[in-house]
Amino acid sequence: METKDIIRLDDVSKVYTIGDTEVRALDHASLCIKEGEFVSIIGPSGSGKSTMMNIIGCLDIADEGHYYLNGQPIESYSENDLARIRNKQIGFIFQNFNLIGNLTAEENVELPLIYQKVPKAQRQALVDQALVRVQLGKRKDHKPTELSGGQQQRVAIARAIATKPSLFLADEPTGNLDSATGEEIMKLFHELHDAGHTIVLITHDEEVAVQASRIIRIKDGHVKEVSR
């Protein structure tokens, strides 16, 4: 059975004006990502990869071209639809973890489920499952300052797992970690991929990028598929 496209960008451009200068962050970029794939998007700083992540994650919109999410053009979704997609269908994982400092690991993982109005008993089960999956079941009462960088990133991954998204979108998830801890986090992504999840990983690190099943390179807003 043919797998469906989750993400398709056709001839997408995004232009920013900085003073008198026009910067094409994306320049007629096209790509397709199918359900269940593990894809890395690699490029140097300023290449356009963060802009692409923002468009894929429905955090920004393209100036030209078309973005299809689950086969539907993005412009067909209402603002409420997009908010629901960001909250339920996409699991965001960021370089800086984006944890709330005065909340415990358990409370950080629970927060998006509260926004989704998931009943308390079901929330607790989802949170517990997610924290066990990232091997932090015994650290659930710890706040971010009481956790290492790798543990904080595991909490961030657990927070994404708990919402049961169809897509994990990770922006430089190993960027603030030492190499050994980064390898542990990548092992988690491989486990998620082996379980059937779709993963798009944005990185500037070649050693991280080559671990994906497919590599897409981006430079000066131009996209190039890399054959393996």
Side-chain angles (χ1 to χ4, degrees):
M1 193 171 75
E2 190 175 346
T3 54
K4 68 174 184 178
D5 295 345
I6 280 193
I7 292 161
R8 197 171 99 226
L9 271 63
D10 287 344
D11 221 23
V12 164
S13 295
K14 183 70 181 180
V15 181
Y16 297 103
T17 303
I18 303 171
D20 296 329
T21 307
E22 188 178 87
V23 178
R24 297 189 76 84
L26 289 178
D27 195 356
H28 300 285
S30 296
L31 63 83
C32 179
I33 297 170
K34 292 189 177 294
E35 186 176 37
E37 282 199 290
F38 184 179
V39 177
S40 64
I41 298 174
I42 183 169
S45 178
S47 60
K49 61 186 187 296
S50 291
T51 300
M52 178 171 284
M53 190 207 82
N54 288 339
I55 288 172
I56 289 173
C58 304
L59 300 169
D60 201 354
I61 56 171
D63 294 322
E64 302 170 31
H66 299 283
Y67 172 29
Y68 298 88
L69 181 63
N70 291 318
Q72 279 197 68
I74 204 71
E75 56 266 23
S76 72
Y77 293 98
S78 69
E79 279 301 317
N80 285 340
D81 290 336
L82 292 175
R84 191 171 66 253
I85 287 166
R86 287 190 292 266
N87 200 17
K88 290 189 174 183
Q89 292 188 29
I90 302 175
F92 291 97
I93 300 158
F94 296 100
Q95 178 176 356
N96 296 322
F97 321 133
N98 285 16
L99 301 177
I100 296 176
N102 62 346
L103 298 183
T104 64
E106 181 178 45
E107 290 165 340
N108 268 287
V109 174
E110 184 183 28
L111 199 58
L113 301 173
I114 293 172
Y115 291 145
Q116 290 180 15
K117 298 183 170 57
V118 175
K120 185 166 180 57
Q122 188 182 347
R123 285 203 311 266
Q124 192 62 58
L126 289 167
V127 170
D128 289 345
Q129 289 166 15
L131 285 169
V132 167
R133 192 162 180 184
V134 300
Q135 299 177 339
L136 282 179
K138 295 179 179 177
R139 307 298 299 270
K140 65 181 184 179
D141 294 326
H142 290 68
K143 293 183 178 177
T145 53
E146 300 168 321
L147 299 170
S148 68
Q151 288 170 334
Q152 289 182 62
Q153 190 60 290
R154 286 174 181 272
V155 174
I157 293 170
R159 180 179 57 193
I161 289 170
T163 62
K164 297 189 177 297
S166 56
L167 168 68
F168 286 92
L169 189 53
D171 185 20
E172 300 280 8
T174 62
N176 282 346
L177 307 174
D178 62 64
S179 57
T181 307
E183 286 174 16
E184 291 174 8
I185 295 302
M186 288 306 298
K187 184 170 178 284
L188 259 178
F189 281 114
H190 285 296
E191 289 170 4
L192 289 170
H193 179 232
D194 290 344
H197 294 287
T198 308
I199 300 170
V200 177
L201 193 152
I202 314 288
T203 185
H204 71 278
D205 188 331
E206 193 75 33
E207 289 184 14
V208 170
V210 296
Q211 294 189 49
S213 308
R214 276 174 65 204
I215 302 173
I216 294 168
R217 293 192 184 276
I218 183 166
K219 186 177 181 181
D220 299 328
H222 296 280
V223 168
K224 180 184 178 184
E225 181 91 22
V226 179
S227 57
R228 300 297 295 270

